[in-house]
């Protein structure tokens, strides 16, 4: 077994609970930056150098970033060349090796999604295909108990926003609506109901993430995610905080949901970065808008096939200037 574990846990008691047997190994993964194709290739090469045969399984333990590393490494152990060659849909010909996901943050839905989001030399795009999803996942709410308040919130909001975007777009359907509605109820309980114990809330948050991820799998993300990709690409912000910064200013698109988001921020006493566009150059904001506008499938979901009548680069620039 190869355990890919978030290096946040390196000196924590949790590390000693990983039941290593003779040939098993732990590879500590740093996620200060979101997953890169270069690092996927390095991890794959390291596993091959240390072992004569393929491992029986890759087990990812960490937040969404480690979930994606584990999925990508599994695929890259059986497909030649750099992982940057496989960013796209169904480009890997050989099925990956058995892989297991054990999340330690909840919200991204990466534990259940079909994609491993990677930044390569040319693009930020997932390796997506039949064999990318985990063969098995373990959802243990104890593992998210120690997550810092702000991080827990930002990642949790990814699930909340997945649901809102899934429900408010043209690709919605009975399946995606059903998962999103249930996940949304759980998110509201977690972030607005103070009668819940932390243990009850963590359990609900894990399932909210899982259902939110399923909802998106059958539908699509929308305006907030398109803007958030631009923020992450140019500023290196992680997905959850980038989503939160963008959603905070999208009342003209997602109305009451944004008002509810403001209540959640206030109730949970969350530090949300403000006025980030003030410190940016015109070139940086342009670049963000260029990245965002290319995400056609998201705009199409949010505004329909004639989305270009409602959204142009200027409108996108204006959204960024509000943040
Ligand atoms: N594949 C998908 O479908 C999908 C969907 C959404 C997001 N993503 C990806 O997920 C990533 C974001 O994931 P995330 O929000 O879970 O955060 P993350 O994995 O990027 O981790 C954020 C920080 O929290 C730390 N951390 C992790 N678990 C912790 C714990 N229990 N206690 C304390 N700290 C902990 C990490 O070390 C890191 O510093 C991005 O790379 C994004 O691209 C993937
Ligand atoms: Fe997301």
């Amino acid at each position: 077994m190869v355990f890919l574990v978030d290096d946040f846990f390196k000196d924590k008691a949790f590390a000693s609970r990983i039941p290593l047997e003779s040939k098993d190994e732990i590879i500590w993964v740093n996620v200060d930056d979101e997953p890169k194709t270069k690092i996927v290739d390095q991890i794959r090469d390291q596993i091959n150098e240390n072992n004569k045969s393929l491992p029986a399984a890759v087990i990812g333990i960490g937040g969404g970033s480690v979930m994606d590393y584990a999925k990508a490494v599994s695929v890259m152990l059986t497909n030649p060349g750099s992982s940057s060659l496989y960013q796209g849909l169904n480009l890997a010909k050989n099925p990956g090796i058995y892989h297991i996901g054990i999340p330690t943050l909840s919200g991204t839905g990466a534990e259940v999604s079909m994609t491993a989001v990677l930044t390569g030399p040319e693009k930020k795009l997932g390796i997506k295909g039949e064999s990318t999803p985990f063969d098995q996942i373990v959802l243990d709410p104890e593992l998210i108990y120690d997550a810092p308040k702000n991080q827990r919130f930002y990642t949790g909001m990814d699930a909340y926003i997945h649901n809102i975007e899934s429900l408010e777009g043209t690709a919605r359907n009975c399946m995606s609506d059903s998962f999103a509605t249930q996940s949304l109820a759980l998110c509201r309980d977690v972030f607005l109901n103070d009668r819940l114990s932390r243990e009850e809330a963590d359990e609900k948050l894990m399932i909210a993430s899982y259902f939110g991820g399923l909802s998106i799998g059958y539908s699509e993300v929308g305006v907030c995610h398109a803007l958030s990709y631009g923020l992450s690409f140019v500023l290196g912000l992680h997905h959850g905080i980038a989503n939160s910064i963008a959603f905070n200013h999208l009342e003209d698109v997602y109305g009451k949901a944004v008002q509810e988001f403001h209540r959640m921020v206030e109730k949970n006493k969350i530090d949300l970065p403000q006025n980030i566009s003030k410190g940016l150059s015109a070139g940086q904001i342009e670049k963000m808008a260029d990245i965002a506008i290319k995400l056609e499938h998201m705009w199409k979901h949010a505004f329909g096939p004639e989305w270009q009548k409602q959204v142009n680069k200027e409108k996108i620039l204006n959204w960024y200037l509000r943040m």
Side-chain angles (χ1 to χ4, degrees):
M1 303 287 167
V2 173
F3 292 84
L4 300 184
V5 188
D6 193 314
D7 68 2
F8 167 81
F9 293 104
K10 199 165 183 178
D11 310 313
K12 308 284 186 302
F14 171 68
S16 62
R17 287 171 50 196
I18 298 173
L20 289 185
E21 302 217 359
S22 61
K23 285 186 180 167
D24 298 348
E25 67 175 315
I26 294 183
I27 297 178
W28 299 104
V29 186
N30 181 276
V31 299
D32 288 348
D33 291 329
E34 290 196 339
K36 304 255 180 301
T37 53
K38 206 174 64 184
I39 308 288
V40 172
D41 298 350
Q42 274 172 16
I43 296 174
R44 185 261 321 264
D45 295 345
Q46 183 182 343
I47 294 172
N48 282 336
E49 274 161 28
N50 292 354
N51 300 282
K52 288 201 188 77
S53 53
L54 287 175
V58 171
I59 302 170
I61 305 179
S65 295
V66 173
M67 295 296 100
D68 284 354
Y69 271 128
K71 289 192 269 186
V73 167
S74 154
V75 171
M76 290 317 300
L77 280 165
T78 53
N79 288 279
S82 167
S83 51
S84 59
L85 300 170
Y86 301 93
Q87 287 178 279
L89 184 61
N90 284 328
L91 299 177
K93 295 289 167 279
N94 306 317
I97 68 165
Y98 196 85
H99 50 306
I100 301 173
I102 307 182
T104 63
L105 286 173
S106 289
T108 65
E111 65 276 23
V112 72
S113 81
M114 272 186 81
T115 179
V117 182
L118 299 178
T119 303
E122 282 160 26
K123 54 196 167 196
K124 180 175 176 182
L125 190 67
I127 295 182
K128 188 171 184 179
E130 291 291 319
S131 87
T132 312
F134 285 113
D135 296 287
Q136 193 180 342
I137 57 175
V138 178
L139 299 183
D140 179 354
E142 236 180 72
L143 298 182
I144 65 171
Y145 188 83
D146 290 327
K149 184 181 74 167
N150 284 322
Q151 183 64 59
R152 176 178 191 267
F153 183 85
Y154 302 144
T155 302
M157 281 304 109
D158 196 15
Y160 179 78
I161 296 165
H162 286 160
N163 300 324
I164 301 298
E165 291 184 319
S166 173
L167 287 165
E168 299 200 18
T170 55
R172 64 184 291 191
N173 54 72
C174 181
M175 183 79 110
S176 66
D177 278 8
S178 305
F179 285 125
T181 309
Q182 185 58 43
S183 175
L184 203 50
L186 292 166
C187 289
R188 287 183 173 134
D189 229 6
V190 171
F191 293 109
L192 291 172
N193 174 0
D194 28 50
R195 285 198 298 272
L196 278 189
S197 69
R198 177 63 193 260
E199 286 79 1
E200 286 170 316
D202 284 346
E203 199 170 5
K204 285 175 191 257
L205 187 53
M206 280 212 131
I207 303 303
S209 172
Y210 181 74
F211 277 22
L214 283 172
S215 177
I216 287 304
Y218 291 97
S219 171
E220 189 48 85
V221 290
V223 178
C224 181
H225 273 71
L227 298 177
S228 156
Y229 266 50
L231 288 172
S232 291
F233 196 91
V234 174
L235 302 177
L237 292 170
H238 279 228
H239 185 67
I241 190 167
N243 272 345
S244 300
I245 290 169
F247 199 69
N248 195 26
H249 296 283
L250 284 174
E251 210 168 322
D252 52 340
V253 185
Y254 295 117
K256 284 191 175 142
V258 176
Q259 291 165 10
E260 185 169 62
F261 170 83
H262 292 157
R263 287 202 297 282
M264 289 176 174
V265 169
E266 206 173 308
K267 190 165 183 58
N268 294 278
K269 302 190 174 60
I270 298 303
D271 309 315
L272 196 57
Q274 308 285 344
N275 300 324
I276 55 151
S277 64
K278 254 193 179 166
L280 302 179
S281 69
Q284 282 178 303
I285 300 183
E286 283 266 332
K287 178 76 189 164
M288 289 185 200
D290 289 336
I291 299 273
I293 204 162
K294 279 197 208 127
L295 297 163
E296 251 183 70
H297 53 294
M298 302 183 191
W299 300 113
K300 195 170 157 195
H301 166 61
F303 296 110
E306 301 201 25
W307 64 271
Q308 274 147 324
K309 287 188 180 157
Q310 295 189 62
V311 180
N312 54 26
K313 193 166 160 188
E314 202 187 327
K315 184 152 187 178
I316 295 177
L317 285 171
N318 276 327
W319 273 318
Y320 281 124
L321 288 171
R322 283 187 210 167
M323 294 177 196

